[in-house]
Amino acid sequence: MPKVYGTGVFEFRHPRAAEYPLPADAAAAAAPDSKGPASAGGAASITLLDIQRDRLTRVAAEHWGAPAAAAAFDAGLVREIYATELRVEGRGRKTVPLHRVMILEVSQYLENYLWPNFDPDSASFEHVMSIILMVNEKFRENVAAWTCFHDRKDAFKGFLWRVLKLKEEDRELNMAEKTNYLLFMINAFQSLEDELVRETIIQLVSLKLWHTLSFGRLQMELCLNPELVKRWTKIKRKEAKEAKKAGQTCDASEMLENKFLRNLIEEFLEILDSKVILSGQDGGDESVLNESLSGQVDDSCVLYCERFMEFLIDMLSQLPTRRFLRPLVADVAVVAKCHLSALYTHEKGRLFAQLVDLLQFYEGFEINDHSGTQLSDDDVLQAHYSRFQAFQLLAFKQVPKLRDFSLCNIGSIHKRADLAKKLLVLSDVELQDLVCNKLKLISKEDPCSGRRDFLIEVLVAFFEKRQSQKDAVNALPLYPNEQIMWDESLVPSINYSGEGCLALPKLNLQFLTLHDYLLRNFNLFRLESTYEIREDIQEAVPHLHAYINNEGDTAFRGWSRMAVPVKEFRITEVKQPNIGEVKPSSVTADVTFSISSYKPQIKSEWDALKEHDVLFLLSIRPSFEPLSPEEAAKSTVPERLGLQYVRGCEVIEIRDEEGSLMNDFTGRIKREEWKPPKGEIRTVKIALDTAQYHIDVTEVAEKGAENVYGTFNILMRRKPKENNFKAILESIRDLMNETCVVPEWLHNIFLGYGNPSAAQWINMPDLLETIDFKDTFIDADHVLQSFPDFKVTFVNSDGTENLNPSPPFKIKLSKKMRESSHALPGNLTTKNNMVDDDGSQKEKIIVETYIPADPGPYPQDKPKQNSVRFTPTQVGAIISGIQPGLTMVVGPPGTGKTDTAVQILNVLYHNCPSQRTLIITHSNQALNDLFEKIMQRDVPARYLLRLGQGEQELATDLDFSRQGRVNAMLVRRLELLGEVAKLASSLHLPEDVSYTCETAAYFWLLHVYARWEQFLAACAQNQDTPSFVKDRFPFSEFFSDTPQPIFTGESFEKDMHAAKGCFKHLSTIFQELEECRAFELLKSTAERANYLMTKQAKIVAMTCTHAALKRRDFLQLGFKYDNLLMEESAQILEIETFIPMLLQRQEDGYARLKRCILIGDHHQLPPVVKNMAFQKYSHMDQSLFTRFVRLGVPYIELNAQGRARPSIAELYNWRYRELGDLPYVREEAIFHKANSGFSYEYQLVDVPDFRGRGESAPSPWFYQNEGEAEFIVSVYIYMRLIGYPANKISILTTYNGQKLLIRDVINRRCKPWNIEPPSKVTTVDKFQGQQNDFILLSLVRTRFVGHLRDVRRLIVAMSRARLGLYVFCRRSLFEQCYELQPTFQLLLQRPDKLGLNLEECTPFTERPLEETGNIHYIAGIEDIGHLVNFRLEHLRQMQYMQYYAPHANAPPLAVSENNADATENGNAGNGLHKVKDGMMEENGDASDLVTRNKMEEDIIETKGDLMQEENKMDDRNPEASDTVMEDKTVDRDAEAKNKMEEENTEAKEKMEEENDEPKNKMEE
């Protein structure tokens, strides 16, 4: 099959690029994206010029820049840079000067200077620390960090050992250096997939670590794990032998790799105990702390402690690092000491306390550390009781004072408070003896062993009953409340810089158990949706303008589209708790509100509320006086909004003013009885979150808190597409409560353990040895090309050789192919290329040709055929996909991922007709593309079903929704029964046999099948009579209306083949009728639809969101499927990939799933996660597909693209292993012709500052570049004037701000001329998965590269164009970027000024691609503007002359004169006349425009401005700063109108001067 990758080392470490605002304290050196709008052009922003003038930039150019590559290494320079630029002193939270580190990292300080000159033996402390800082910065920016180390593997091992020994060197590290050192260790342990890092770093957590355990703890662990005793003894013997050989005493606990982690932990505990809270003398003048705010807490130590908690959490949440480290963490009692520390309860230690709780959770995680098996609740409970009973027995025997305790029942004393109370009877000495000597929980040498509170904490923590994880999750409210929403350590704001840590779980390579996987995803998904809800609240509430009225109540002056004041709120019912629970089983309430003040459109939005929609109840109570600016700056967001409480709820039903039910989908109201809603008052019956209600009521009862449910005064809704979080969270929680079974063959790989290729088809049982490929191969040559490494032998069904083979083919997989995936087609290994031409060494592969059964005599009976000539790699992917197991296909842009997926489905359907397949995609668009292609293959439409909201967008007359399929089946039933009646009539039988499907079935058995059997028996005896079939066929009269005569009467065999085809047609009719029978018996539409989904459909398609939303329904209906195919799987979140695997109940404890086919491209953009912190810190944007690739799971990479010109494909094919071109793009004429009007098919265009500025940011992250916007729109107008169709051009950009700006410029400049806008103006991220002939791309940034540094975004941007790609950017910035070098080196081989061919005036040219023609270089933005304005003015004059010509013959004369001028001036005049029919239509009949007088033109321009402002109002989003844009646009319009004629005159003169040279050349 094709080359299968993924089993070797792969440099795939987080290729996400960060884009962070710099901290405010960077002052003059801060990046432009610091803190909000003010930074856009102020003194605090930094320009590219500043960077170029910077001292570090000059040093870089001198010592390690490209010209100075051979300069001698200066160790003193490294020391100086570290001392003056990188080292941080003081007690702040800043560990590195971020701006200086960024400049050094961008200048390739690590790749070109530090690493090439690193010697493990002689390198200085500063040299090692500098490398550590550069690696940390790469991780912060989420670019590949370890790539440059792979060329010197031995030196890298030496470097890691130097890092480990750094703490033992004479040099004392300050707190910032210790934090940076710790961060490096965190990053190293998060990179265990990199073999280079893993080899050294994994030694720190081996069994040898137990040398540092206290004697008692070591004995306890060996008793609990007897299987380790032998291994432990062997290690000790080996060490003793080595020590004896070296003539030294054996003290393994002093070996560096053994004691490293213990030393690190003890250092942390010392800092926590003595340095976090400063003593009086430490708080002198040198302290950077603000005494009034922070007391005497050392912020640098707090950050170190937080980072250390993150380090331990990471270590305990991966099995390879957890296994031997957890006993050490318990032995040192880290959690107990953290709980008792001053920082844990300090106001500045809030994040630290949350991290300690997370560490405690992972320390006691319900897993067997050594086998990796998850412990059930029952296992945990039994272990708890066994442990407690042993303690009681020990107390009874050896501690007389605890005699009462030892006789108590466990249920009365295993809670924390009860247990601590019982231990009060012991004295300090007795307690120490019990904990250290008898129980051996900690060592007597521990410095805290004399503290009573510490000993009790250790004892209680070890023996108390912990709440089960399942119970904890079930008790958690699904809706966020106001406390979680504005907790920055849980839900950080958008400007997370990547410097600090957060109390969030991480998604990395490995998970402890399925429960751990679900729990991490549950928490992250919940917090991500919380962030989005918080943003919506902050957007909606200010519009209400809340104030306190004269009565002292809250009132509202304003209005909001998404939030409405509540007239009345009352709880109507609180049901009793279910058995074993404390929370109510349900809580319902009625909310009444008025929609009288809204416009009809917004009223209809509120009236569209339906069952299961999620709403939010807000309690707003503003302050009496508006907050002063100083108070507002210090206050929190809820204080500024006056927000007291937030509670979520779910709609049960909605009623109008008269109490009539609205939007009922349950069938209670019949369609004909429906009436439009009455009045303006609406009452919504809602279900509150029972867990949250129980918490609130308990607070009121126990603490006298305010009753939240009496304060609500606002009801808020959200956009339906963004509001499905609750259903997904419920699905995840349901999975946690089930014993969820991932298929056994996938389980270990899914968690990240075991052999990565274990789930590959060659390692699976029940392989399909012979595969019927149906229409996969076009001809016999196609088979030979698809299996170049095998000797292909074609045989007939009887085993004889076939010399003239033709499809279809059945292929028996060879032994070599089944044993090694590298033998798949497309894997052109060196060994196979050396095989002799006669193929003597090649293994034989048997291809059987067969004659398919005649499908029937009618045209509609003929199966649809595949026309795609699949490449060998695609054939390999198809073979892998139809075999059981996990198939991963990487599909680079344009390589036919969808065609491959469709063929897998097609072949799978024909080879395993009884199996059902589920198709999942990320977007409706991709699902519809896939579905439309399946419909063109030989899969009957009755077996296809499309679920979700996107089915109405399918480009087909057929309806593939559940309702549509049911209706189609009922219509088909009537058609088939009509055919049965016709058949009965032809057999001269009563036609009542066609009354129902049941009568038709009897008719088939008694009359049709019986006649056929009699006919076959007669044929067997008369094979010598050529006309026998024609004379005796029993159904000739029925088939009398066929387009061609069925029988010739000349050959018995041919006629018999045709007769079998006719019978096949009849049997298909009755088979379909049998399938329709259920629809006859089931009467309700819902029952029929459910039957269709669960029994009838063979291929069911839906989006991943729909699967997550409807999981409960699927389980309830008994939905089943055998195969899962997932398209766009690299764009789907981990959890949204996992849920579709579990949409069915397990069968006898086993999962039914047989195949999982993941198709995607991890080199393109990942799933969208809106909050930067979840994306960067928690890696929430990691897809399952990407994780599998990182784990080394084998994958097939498609290797031939058929989208773009080969030259354009070179801009991105470097990122893929062997991406070539299909013959189509090499041979098709369109790919060999140049782009008319352009000298090059792709170009980088350097855009200078426009009006003295480059990029700007009216608000954070909202980047714009006016110069690039004007340039791109000018080029677009130029293309349209030549005659390029608007639907063939797309304008892309990398930022939303620029997208909106370009749309504004298009409105301003194109609408007055009736020039149609391009097919798409959007961001690169939104355009993923789409393509167009011509792409104009704006990269926006001029100061820092920004998020285009993510190579995946670059790949998407470069791979959207088929024929032409023009990139507008700041050359000097992007050519420096290390990650983007391969693409920009190619782009910069061509001039960076836009090269136009002004002689070409139509969209068609015969100029070959290699020829540039007469190049006219565009000098800048003004130059292209003059050119376009001149051509537009010329068009205006031409059309005036056409319109006002006095005679019919006059226009041609006038036009021909103009054509002469046009040729002379190199403009579009004559081209426009030649293709005027097309252009009139394209440009919206521009001739109407020129007949208007100047007043009408002014009116048009004014209307354009108004429409532009309205569009901006519609498109407005929280981040947009459209007000600034509007003012700017109006100014530009006025200026443009006043100077239009002057510009046109100047342009004409300029163009005549510029085009003299081309004209002279043409004359010569």
Side-chain angles (χ1 to χ4, degrees), residues 294-480:
S294 58
Q296 293 192 335
V297 172
D298 186 335
D299 281 352
S300 62
C301 291
V302 173
L303 178 61
Y304 177 82
C305 292
E306 290 166 357
R307 281 290 189 195
F308 199 85
M309 286 296 101
E310 179 194 352
F311 173 64
L312 287 183
I313 290 164
D314 284 355
M315 299 286 276
L316 294 184
S317 58
Q318 292 186 119
L319 206 53
T321 52
R322 170 192 179 87
R323 192 168 273 135
F324 302 115
L325 177 64
R326 195 189 65 81
L328 177 60
V329 173
D331 188 36
V332 185
V334 174
V335 173
K337 288 173 182 172
C338 291
H339 275 141
L340 295 172
S341 67
L343 183 60
Y344 187 80
T345 52
H346 196 280
E347 61 175 353
K348 287 222 164 183
R350 181 137 192 255
L351 173 57
F352 174 74
Q354 290 170 331
L355 288 163
V356 170
D357 293 343
L358 195 54
L359 175 64
Q360 184 179 21
F361 168 76
Y362 274 110
E363 189 191 353
F365 195 84
E366 299 161 356
I367 185 176
N368 181 322
D369 292 341
H370 297 282
S371 66
T373 52
Q374 182 173 335
L375 303 177
S376 66
D377 285 352
D378 193 45
D379 294 335
V380 173
L381 202 59
Q382 288 302 321
H384 165 69
Y385 287 145
S386 303
R387 193 164 56 235
F388 214 99
Q389 280 177 331
F391 179 34
Q392 283 185 310
L393 190 61
L394 176 84
F396 184 80
K397 287 181 179 177
Q398 300 185 24
V399 189
K401 285 188 180 179
L402 291 183
R403 194 65 60 84
D404 287 348
F405 164 81
S406 61
L407 296 174
C408 292
N409 69 70
I410 293 176
S412 65
I413 53 171
H414 66 181
K415 289 183 180 171
R416 173 171 277 267
D418 299 329
L419 191 53
K421 192 175 177 183
K422 290 285 183 187
L423 295 172
L424 291 175
V425 298
L426 297 177
S427 68
D428 291 0
V429 176
E430 290 168 331
L431 191 61
Q432 186 181 23
D433 180 58
L434 176 65
V435 176
C436 300
N437 299 334
K438 293 186 171 67
L439 293 171
K440 299 183 175 64
L441 294 180
I442 57 167
S443 167
K444 205 164 186 175
E445 281 76 43
D446 192 295
C448 295
S449 61
R451 286 177 55 184
R452 183 180 182 87
D453 58 346
F454 169 70
L455 295 170
I456 288 180
E457 175 65 27
V458 169
L459 204 56
V460 169
F462 189 74
F463 288 109
E464 71 173 326
K465 184 185 179 186
R466 299 186 189 97
Q467 185 184 20
S468 98
Q469 297 164 13
K470 198 182 290 183
D471 293 345
V473 169
N474 290 335
L476 206 61
L478 287 179
Y479 305 105

Side-chain angles (χ1 to χ4, degrees), residues 550-804:
N550 295 335
E551 288 78 35
D553 298 328
T554 304
F556 303 97
R557 291 194 187 95
W559 66 276
S560 171
R561 183 178 197 146
M562 308 306 281
V564 62
V566 170
K567 283 190 172 297
E568 184 187 4
F569 174 88
R570 61 190 180 86
I571 291 177
T572 54
E573 185 180 26
V574 180
K575 286 191 176 177
Q576 290 290 325
N578 293 328
I579 295 171
E581 293 184 353
V582 290
K583 63 183 184 185
S585 55
S586 78
V587 181
T588 54
D590 284 346
V591 184
T592 305
F593 61 92
S594 169
I595 54 171
S596 57
S597 59
Y598 286 129
K599 294 177 184 175
Q601 184 188 348
I602 302 175
K603 280 183 184 177
S604 66
E605 289 175 7
W606 281 98
D607 282 345
L609 288 176
K610 59 185 185 300
E611 189 181 11
H612 301 307
D613 281 358
V614 172
L615 302 174
F616 288 89
L617 292 158
L618 313 181
S619 177
I620 308 287
R621 197 180 300 146
S623 55
F624 284 97
E625 294 292 328
L627 297 174
S628 66
E630 295 80 16
E631 289 172 330
K634 292 177 185 176
S635 62
T636 62
V637 174
E639 286 169 355
R640 289 200 291 276
L641 297 176
L643 187 68
Q644 302 296 315
Y645 305 109
V646 179
R647 296 292 180 268
C649 58
E650 185 177 320
V651 175
I652 298 173
E653 61 184 32
I654 178 168
R655 295 181 180 272
D656 63 12
E657 200 161 329
E658 295 181 357
S660 302
L661 203 57
M662 298 164 53
N663 302 340
D664 176 58
F665 297 102
T666 60
R668 283 181 286 176
I669 295 179
K670 292 177 182 172
R671 190 170 293 180
E672 59 273 12
E673 294 174 5
W674 181 87
K675 294 175 186 174
K678 301 284 179 66
E680 308 285 352
I681 304 293
R682 300 286 178 265
T683 301
V684 185
K685 187 177 184 181
I686 56 170
L688 294 165
D689 190 304
T690 54
Q692 184 68 59
Y693 181 80
H694 176 68
I695 292 168
D696 292 335
V697 172
T698 308
E699 288 276 312
V700 173
E702 293 180 358
K703 299 180 182 176
E706 181 180 19
N707 179 15
V708 175
Y709 298 92
T711 65
F712 295 132
N713 49 15
I714 292 292
L715 183 69
M716 192 190 91
R717 64 188 174 92
R718 298 178 69 220
K719 292 176 184 172
K721 281 190 177 179
E722 298 170 2
N723 207 23
N724 50 28
F725 72 96
K726 179 176 180 278
I728 295 175
L729 288 174
E730 279 181 335
S731 292
I732 303 172
R733 189 158 73 177
D734 288 348
L735 284 168
M736 282 194 269
N737 284 310
E738 295 168 14
T739 311
C740 72
V741 176
V742 174
E744 197 175 324
W745 48 270
L746 191 58
H747 185 273
N748 283 351
I749 290 174
F750 187 82
L751 293 177
Y753 305 112
N755 176 9
S757 56
Q760 203 181 357
W761 68 277
I762 55 168
N763 298 317
M764 297 290 291
D766 307 323
L767 294 184
L768 300 175
E769 293 196 2
T770 302
I771 300 169
D772 184 350
F773 278 91
K774 288 291 179 181
D775 57 358
T776 303
F777 299 105
I778 306 296
D779 49 41
D781 285 342
H782 190 191
V783 179
L784 295 170
Q785 292 161 10
S786 299
F787 296 94
D789 303 338
F790 295 89
K791 183 179 180 182
V792 178
T793 306
F794 293 96
V795 298
N796 295 313
S797 302
D798 56 4
T800 57
E801 189 170 354
N802 188 330
L803 300 176
N804 296 304

Side-chain angles (χ1 to χ4, degrees), residues 665 888 1004 1090 1103 1250 1265 1550:
F665 297 102
M888 288 185 47
W1004 160 257
N1090 292 338
T1103 62
F1250 181 63
N1265 186 319
K1550 188 166 183 176

Side-chain angles (χ1 to χ4, degrees), residues 731 918 920 1102-1112 1114 1136 1139-1140 1143:
S731 292
L918 176 64
I920 298 286
M1102 66 187 85
T1103 62
C1104 55
T1105 306
H1106 187 81
L1109 290 176
K1110 300 292 182 184
R1111 181 177 181 272
R1112 279 186 175 178
F1114 292 139
E1136 290 187 335
I1139 290 175
L1143 295 182

Side-chain angles (χ1 to χ4, degrees), residues 50 60 143 150 695 905 1219 1260 1286 1331:
D50 295 335
V143 291
H150 279 265
I695 292 168
L905 292 167
L1219 183 56
Q1331 63 183 53

Side-chain angles (χ1 to χ4, degrees), residues 1333-1375:
D1333 285 0
F1334 303 96
I1335 297 292
L1336 307 178
L1337 174 64
S1338 166
L1339 300 186
V1340 187
R1341 302 301 298 275
T1342 57
R1343 295 180 180 129
F1344 283 109
V1345 173
H1347 66 196
L1348 192 72
R1349 223 183 142 182
D1350 184 339
V1351 178
R1352 296 174 300 181
R1353 189 167 278 105
L1354 176 80
I1355 297 302
V1356 173
M1358 294 296 122
S1359 59
R1360 301 304 100 197
R1362 291 182 67 243
L1363 302 174
L1365 172 67
Y1366 301 95
V1367 182
F1368 298 82
C1369 67
R1370 183 64 55 89
R1371 170 182 177 158
S1372 53
L1373 173 67
F1374 287 93
E1375 71 180 338

